[in-house]
Amino acid sequence: MSPSNPPIPSHDEPDWARVSQIAVQGSDSPLVPTSLAPACLRVYPAYARLDIPGAVNECLVRREVHQRLLLAARALPEGLSLVVLDGWRPWRVQQYLFDTLYESLRSHDPSLDDAQLLARTREFVSLPSRDPQAPSPHLTGGAVDVTICDADGLLLEMGTQFDEATPASHTDHFERHPPASDTSQSEARDNRRLLYRVMSEAGFTNLPSEWWHFDFGDQLWAWYRGEPRALYGPAEMDSIETLWKRSLG
């Protein structure tokens, strides 16, 4: 084990009821496009490519999040790039993802009751909420979904697909279930360690059930950092109407 690529520590799942009670400071930090970043940061808006209703063909994040993504990207070994799959997410997309996973789980296992279905769904998709005091993480512009690609643009092996709703997607899965030999699972473990390390060193926290999900400035970040308040509440993408209204005073 290389000291520069240490094991991923295990963390408990968030207590969402308590997460939603963390005070939101609020910030006027704007949403900025990641597609204009240097080549070390690549952008692949996954939900727009899947034609999910309401998805934006850009990955928008808060300005400070953008700066920290660049820190993480520049810490990767030469030839590797950080890939942003999703950032700020419209409420409509959050609702769609929640509803489709909920129904998929219900169809897959009819024995699950409503409470179990809700818990299983929230493992991978947070409740859709535009509440200024308890917004869904991706609605704040502080949550990002990321992975790593090589110089040819091929995604590194991570053991599961992005958004694969299985226990193997838990960030520390290969730490708790060590690969038996030098296999693709060993490669996935090492790649997850690399992603977790560069993102953590750039100031992000990770959602334990998703190796791809990281936060900065939202309530989930505040929960795992022990911060007294979150920096970001809900954000909205500028429209031409809002731009005109601001310019006209």
Side-chain angles (χ1 to χ4, degrees), residues 71-93:
L71 286 176
R74 287 166 175 153
L76 289 170
E78 186 176 356
L80 299 181
S81 297
L82 195 66
V83 182
V84 183
L85 301 167
D86 192 36
W88 173 79
R89 186 181 295 168
W91 182 85
R92 180 184 178 192
V93 175

Side-chain angles (χ1 to χ4, degrees), residues 174-229:
F174 296 117
E175 309 294 350
R176 292 182 291 105
H177 304 283
S181 59
D182 188 15
T183 62
S184 62
Q185 290 188 350
S186 297
E187 183 181 354
R189 178 200 60 199
D190 292 345
N191 291 336
R192 287 192 190 189
R193 287 178 179 180
L194 175 61
L195 179 64
Y196 183 90
R197 178 175 62 80
V198 298
M199 291 295 286
S200 298
E201 289 177 353
F204 292 93
T205 59
N206 170 251
L207 179 62
S209 56
E210 299 179 354
W211 58 259
W212 57 83
H213 180 110
F214 293 84
D215 299 270
F216 178 83
D218 59 16
Q219 287 174 312
L220 202 50
W221 166 85
W223 169 260
Y224 282 113
R225 294 255 305 186
E227 301 286 344
R229 60 185 59 82

Side-chain angles (χ1 to χ4, degrees), residues 30-32 34 45 47 54-62 65 69 84-94 130 135-145 233-239:
L31 292 172
V32 298
T34 52
Y47 296 132
V56 180
N57 194 27
E58 173 62 271
C59 292
L60 299 162
V61 295
R62 299 279 189 157
V65 175
L69 285 171
V84 183
L85 301 167
D86 192 36
W88 173 79
R89 186 181 295 168
W91 182 85
R92 180 184 178 192
V93 175
Q94 188 70 29
R130 290 178 284 195
S136 305
H138 275 283
L139 270 69
T140 70
V144 289
D145 296 329
E236 289 292 339
M237 184 173 65
D238 266 337
S239 66

Side-chain angles (χ1 to χ4, degrees), residues 8-219:
I8 297 170
S10 294
H11 295 286
D12 292 335
E13 290 297 304
D15 182 336
W16 287 107
R18 293 175 64 188
V19 170
S20 66
Q21 294 173 0
I22 296 173
V24 176
Q25 174 181 310
S27 169
D28 59 1
S29 175
L31 292 172
V32 298
T34 52
S35 62
L36 297 178
C40 62
L41 191 65
R42 301 199 187 193
V43 181
Y44 185 85
Y47 296 132
R49 303 297 173 89
L50 290 171
D51 291 326
I52 288 179
V56 180
N57 194 27
E58 173 62 271
C59 292
L60 299 162
V61 295
R62 299 279 189 157
R63 184 184 297 276
E64 297 85 358
V65 175
H66 184 273
Q67 293 166 342
R68 290 174 183 275
L69 285 171
L70 287 174
L71 286 176
R74 287 166 175 153
L76 289 170
E78 186 176 356
L80 299 181
S81 297
L82 195 66
V83 182
V84 183
L85 301 167
D86 192 36
W88 173 79
R89 186 181 295 168
W91 182 85
R92 180 184 178 192
V93 175
Q94 188 70 29
Q95 186 72 62
Y96 179 90
L97 295 174
F98 187 89
D99 290 346
T100 52
L101 179 55
Y102 187 94
E103 292 304 323
S104 296
L105 289 168
R106 195 211 309 261
S107 298
H108 178 71
D109 189 353
S111 69
L112 296 174
D113 61 28
D114 288 346
Q116 291 171 320
L117 276 170
L118 179 60
R120 289 284 304 278
T121 304
R122 294 192 73 175
E123 188 177 349
F124 294 100
V125 182
S126 63
L127 278 173
S129 172
R130 290 178 284 195
D131 183 345
Q133 299 307 313
S136 305
H138 275 283
L139 270 69
T140 70
V144 289
D145 296 329
V146 293
T147 188
I148 301 172
C149 74
D150 65 17
D152 294 325
L154 297 174
L155 300 180
L156 299 193
E157 175 63 60
M158 292 292 181
T160 66
Q161 300 281 336
F162 165 58
D163 263 357
E164 189 172 322
T166 65
S169 289
H170 288 220
T171 311
D172 67 351
H173 176 79
F174 296 117
E175 309 294 350
R176 292 182 291 105
H177 304 283
S181 59
D182 188 15
T183 62
S184 62
Q185 290 188 350
S186 297
E187 183 181 354
R189 178 200 60 199
D190 292 345
N191 291 336
R192 287 192 190 189
R193 287 178 179 180
L194 175 61
L195 179 64
Y196 183 90
R197 178 175 62 80
V198 298
M199 291 295 286
S200 298
E201 289 177 353
F204 292 93
T205 59
N206 170 251
L207 179 62
S209 56
E210 299 179 354
W211 58 259
W212 57 83
H213 180 110
F214 293 84
D215 299 270
F216 178 83
D218 59 16
Q219 287 174 312

